[in-house]
Amino acid sequence: MRIAVVGGSGHIGTFLVPRLVRAGHEVINISRGTRTAYAEAAEWQQVRQVVADREQEDAAGAFGDRVAGLKADVVIDLVCFTLESAVALVDRLRGEVGHLLHCGTLWRYGPSHKLPISETTGTAPVGEYGIQKDRIARMLKDETASGGLVTTSLHPGHIVGPGWHPVGPVGNVDPAVWHTLSAGQPLQIPGVGVESMHHVHADDVAHAFEQAVEHRNAAAGEDFNVVAPTALNVRGYAHAAAGWFGQTASLESVTWDEFRRTTTPDQAAVSWEHLYRSHCLTIEKARTLLHYAPRYEPETAVLESVHWLIEHDQLKVARPLVE
């Protein structure tokens, strides 16, 4: 099949595009052309590159025409963030492609009330990003249910992999947290450390998209959680991370007000956004319908990220990894 991937040079596309090529598909990557994939792969030599600025072309009403003009059998949209943009693409592709897949987010769910969260049990989203993604997912389900374009939405957790900083043990991306843990120094955590985060390796997300393409009939009109088999809470994450450096985590519970005084406003805000939601999702639906089989537990996925950052001098730690 001919598959067009919108935003294929990012986290997910780095792994998805080579997967699709290896599966025998003709792949077109639509991106701004400002960066290459995070990891090299020989399969990229077989990929057609199309340079386009999604935001500008959406504003001009031209992006849908560009995608439709590629005559793809399948379109995988990894970088759609507003309902307006999603509706415009659906309207233009209706009758033109066989399957449209959209990348959502676990932030389509608000703060957890019951765990694990299924595709039907999450609370209403909070924050514009999650609200827009939830609206897109619901629109896509309605589109397919009404006999229109065949669509699927997949909703990853906190994506990790080689090449970028993972969401860390206190819910932010502050590199100082890793130095503290590697040095065996006390780490201040807001609350008692039971808030959870649900990570997923980018290649496992890519695997889920590949499975949804392969199992089109099962995926049609559906939405899927795409995360690691288990989730980490703050306390367990910190203990695991300290152990990678041969240390034992020394955790100091503080109030949120105290925590905010020990870090920057931006990092404190990121921690709050992750931890007060306290997400833990079930992947049973994706396992059953898509045969989704993630290879990475959250701690192994994060460790791979940390290892890459240290090797490339992008993360300073007090002691080397002992793994």
Side-chain angles (χ1 to χ4, degrees):
M1 290 188 292
R2 177 180 294 177
I3 302 178
V5 182
V6 183
S9 300
H11 296 162
I12 301 168
T14 289
F15 296 93
L16 174 60
V17 169
R19 275 180 169 271
L20 295 174
V21 172
R22 289 194 296 270
H25 300 294
E26 175 189 353
V27 183
I28 304 168
N29 176 37
I30 308 170
S31 71
R32 291 179 297 176
T34 57
R35 70 180 181 195
T36 58
Y38 288 91
E40 295 182 1
E43 290 85 357
W44 283 97
Q45 299 300 318
Q46 303 176 50
V47 177
R48 175 183 168 189
Q49 300 290 342
V50 174
V51 177
D53 188 307
R54 169 74 170 272
E55 187 174 351
Q56 289 184 3
E57 295 195 5
D58 262 344
F63 186 71
D65 289 336
R66 177 183 289 279
V67 178
L70 298 174
K71 304 297 183 183
D73 303 293
V74 175
V75 173
I76 301 176
D77 192 353
L78 301 177
V79 289
C80 181
F81 303 108
T82 68
L83 179 61
E84 180 182 15
S85 178
V87 168
L89 187 61
V90 166
D91 286 345
R92 183 61 184 84
L93 296 184
R94 191 180 294 117
E96 298 280 349
V97 301
H99 195 185
L100 171 65
L101 298 93
H102 168 82
C103 183
T105 173
L106 87 169
W107 280 19
R108 70 174 301 196
Y109 309 118
S112 60
H113 284 181
K114 183 179 181 180
L115 300 176
I117 301 166
S118 74
E119 290 79 359
T120 60
T121 61
T123 63
V126 293
E128 190 61 19
Y129 176 62
I131 289 170
Q132 288 290 329
K133 286 292 192 178
D134 185 57
R135 288 175 176 170
I136 293 169
R138 294 176 184 276
M139 178 275 293
L140 293 174
K141 287 179 73 75
D142 290 343
E143 168 70 19
T144 303
S146 66
L149 184 63
V150 173
T151 68
T152 304
S153 65
L154 290 86
H155 299 271
H158 310 309
I159 299 175
V160 294
W164 62 94
H165 286 261
V167 173
V170 294
N172 61 26
V173 291
D174 184 359
V177 172
W178 297 102
H179 192 278
T180 297
L181 289 168
S182 68
Q185 298 171 345
L187 176 68
Q188 291 191 338
I189 59 172
V192 295
V194 296
E195 297 84 359
S196 60
M197 294 162 277
H198 214 148
H199 294 76
V200 63
H201 194 286
D203 189 49
D204 282 336
V205 181
H207 161 64
F209 272 97
E210 185 180 15
Q211 290 296 100
V213 170
E214 181 177 345
H215 300 283
R216 174 182 179 273
N217 291 341
E222 300 292 348
D223 53 352
F224 297 95
N225 295 336
V226 180
V227 289
T230 59
L232 292 168
N233 65 21
V234 171
R235 186 169 54 216
Y237 191 173
H239 280 289
W244 300 337
F245 301 95
Q247 303 283 16
T248 299
S250 174
L251 306 181
E252 179 186 348
S253 293
V254 298
T255 67
W256 272 100
D257 285 342
E258 290 174 308
F259 180 75
R260 290 185 176 98
R261 288 196 290 268
T262 66
T263 187
T264 67
D266 286 347
Q267 294 290 4
V270 172
S271 290
W272 172 258
E273 291 293 338
H274 284 91
L275 300 186
Y276 97 108
R277 286 176 169 85
S278 195
H279 284 151
C280 174
L281 279 56
T282 173
I283 56 174
E284 188 59 30
K285 181 178 178 181
R287 285 188 190 274
T288 302
L289 296 183
L290 302 182
H291 306 290
Y292 172 56
R295 294 190 301 123
Y296 288 85
E297 286 289 338
E299 58 268 37
T300 55
V302 174
L303 176 57
E304 185 177 294
S305 296
V306 171
H307 197 286
W308 188 96
L309 290 168
I310 293 171
E311 278 193 336
H312 291 79
D313 295 322
Q314 295 186 30
L315 184 65
K316 301 301 181 184
V317 292
R319 295 183 57 173
L321 290 165
V322 296
E323 303 179 49

